[in-house]
Amino acid sequence: MSADRTSQDPELLRRLLRAKDRMDAASHEEWPVRRLARVSGVSQAHFARSFKQAFGLPPHRYLLTRRVERAKTLLRETELPVTDIAFQTGWRSLGTFGRTFRDVTGESPGAIRERERAGASDPGRVPHCVLSAAQRPDLTIAVSEKRRQAEGGINGSEETEVP
Amino acid sequence: MTQGVEVVGLYVRDQDEALAFYVEKLGFRVHTDVRNGAYRWLTVQHPEQPSFQLGLFTPGPPMLDAATAETLRAAVAKGAMPPLVMVVDDCRAAYERFRASGVEFIQEPVDRYGTVDAGFRDPSGNGWKMIEARRRSN
């Protein structure tokens, strides 16, 4: 077994999970690596590398999936204006929210709201958190890469901007 | 009841630690704690659910080889095991009680669909959802 393929220490993983849990509990907050590393009790450089190895995506991208998931829930279940949802879920501008949301989900916030309402089904007896996690976007590639792929396909007219 | 599910097992990183957590912090009772060499069969019970046992097991020999056990320990520590759900009469009261005894909550009580739920983890990383039973009247 080569050195970089060795499995991670479960004690470290448990502490990384704590950082992930904290992002889950407050995804609207800012989570710089410094803050996350402190939760896990490891150095910043070690944290970023270890988190990605443990959970398959970098911490900032994980946070993005949680914010989009939460925005989708609010779009579906509340009458809040999209602007309010953008700020409540942690974005600093409506433009960035709309763009990132579309890049991640492939649809605009408004379109998702309409579609989800049209096909609304009773969540019944599935615990809400489980249901919500099951609808989390699967962001296995960077948003910028996802955007590039989409643009390559449809020769998009979107303005280019770094998130 | 003569038929049904009697034991469901969880993987934990340390049985003594898990026992202390489930008994002292959550109020479960020990049902069986038997050793056979290095192997320890340990189950606990919710005080109001005598027909069901929660097994607290460590992945390892003689059941599993070292590499498989290591993989499972990592999965537990990453919170990758399936969700567990506990039903309580009063979620907020249980939250206060458990939190005061040192349970690591990952979600504070939230009102949803006419009920209240919260979330916590055991020391190993197993995630629990704590949901208030819906009132019969509605």
Side-chain angles (χ1 to χ4, degrees):
Chain A
M1 211 180 280
S2 69
D4 59 341
R5 296 303 305 165
T6 51
S7 52
Q8 293 172 283
D9 173 19
E11 297 298 322
L12 169 66
L13 292 171
R14 183 66 182 87
R15 286 185 280 124
L16 294 171
L17 176 62
R18 203 157 282 138
K20 187 163 171 272
D21 284 341
R22 292 284 297 276
M23 282 194 274
D24 287 347
S27 62
H28 59 285
E29 293 182 11
E30 297 298 320
W31 288 100
V33 168
R34 179 169 28 88
R35 187 181 180 196
L36 293 166
R38 205 164 48 227
V39 170
S40 292
V42 297
S43 74
Q44 293 184 43
H46 191 203
F47 178 84
R49 198 172 52 241
S50 307
F51 188 96
K52 181 159 191 274
Q53 193 188 341
F55 300 112
L57 76 180
H60 64 272
R61 203 188 300 162
Y62 177 72
L63 182 64
L64 208 59
T65 68
R66 294 311 317 264
R67 287 183 176 180
V68 169
E69 171 193 333
R70 194 152 163 265
K72 281 176 77 174
T73 304
L74 291 172
L75 286 164
R76 189 173 56 240
E77 296 176 4
T78 72
E79 300 296 330
L80 287 171
V82 173
T83 312
D84 291 9
I85 291 176
F87 291 115
Q88 274 193 29
T89 51
W91 271 278
R92 286 187 179 159
S93 91
L94 185 60
T96 311
F97 167 69
R99 214 157 32 241
T100 310
F101 191 94
R102 206 164 42 235
D103 289 335
V104 171
T105 66
E107 288 180 275
S108 74
I112 288 242
R113 173 169 262 173
E114 278 186 30
R115 187 171 54 73
E116 301 241 336
R117 287 206 176 145
S121 61
D122 180 6
R125 298 180 63 91
V126 183
H128 184 278
C129 57
V130 175
L131 197 67
S132 185
Q135 292 164 348
R136 186 176 305 167
D138 186 15
L139 206 51
T140 52
I141 56 172
V143 171
S144 55
E145 176 59 25
K146 198 159 178 167
R147 189 177 301 158
R148 254 195 310 279
Q149 290 180 359
E151 283 173 356
I154 55 170
N155 226 351
S157 57
E158 279 182 62
E159 73 272 51
T160 54
E161 192 172 319
V162 184
Chain B
M1 188 201 78
T2 54
Q3 300 188 88
V5 178
E6 186 174 52
V7 180
V8 173
L10 292 184
Y11 279 132
V12 297
R13 64 184 180 186
D14 180 288
Q15 287 176 304
D16 286 330
E17 178 188 58
L19 183 61
F21 176 81
Y22 283 95
V23 172
E24 288 162 27
K25 294 195 193 315
L26 298 190
F28 283 56
R29 295 171 185 154
V30 178
H31 180 279
T32 307
D33 188 356
V34 181
R35 288 167 199 267
N36 187 344
Y39 185 74
R40 182 179 182 188
W41 175 270
L42 172 64
T43 69
V44 294
Q45 269 189 328
H46 189 282
E48 294 180 30
Q49 203 173 14
S51 69
F52 181 79
Q53 299 168 52
L54 191 63
L56 305 173
F57 306 122
T58 45
M63 310 301 190
L64 301 171
D65 62 280
T68 304
E70 185 62 32
T71 302
L72 287 166
R73 273 195 292 273
V76 173
K78 282 198 260 191
M81 300 311 260
L84 299 154
V85 179
M86 183 187 300
V87 179
V88 293
D89 290 334
D90 183 336
C91 186
R92 290 177 200 283
Y95 168 77
E96 293 302 336
R97 200 170 61 245
F98 289 162
R99 201 178 55 146
S101 66
V103 174
E104 179 184 350
F105 273 87
I106 56 175
Q107 183 214 300
E108 293 179 4
V110 177
D111 281 280
R112 268 194 279 243
Y113 305 119
T115 181
V116 185
D117 67 76
F120 63 87
R121 286 196 194 281
D122 75 5
S124 305
N126 291 299
W128 281 88
K129 221 51 199 169
M130 186 165 76
I131 303 181
E132 192 165 299
R134 280 172 197 268
R135 312 246 187 290
R136 292 275 171 193
S137 55
N138 62 14

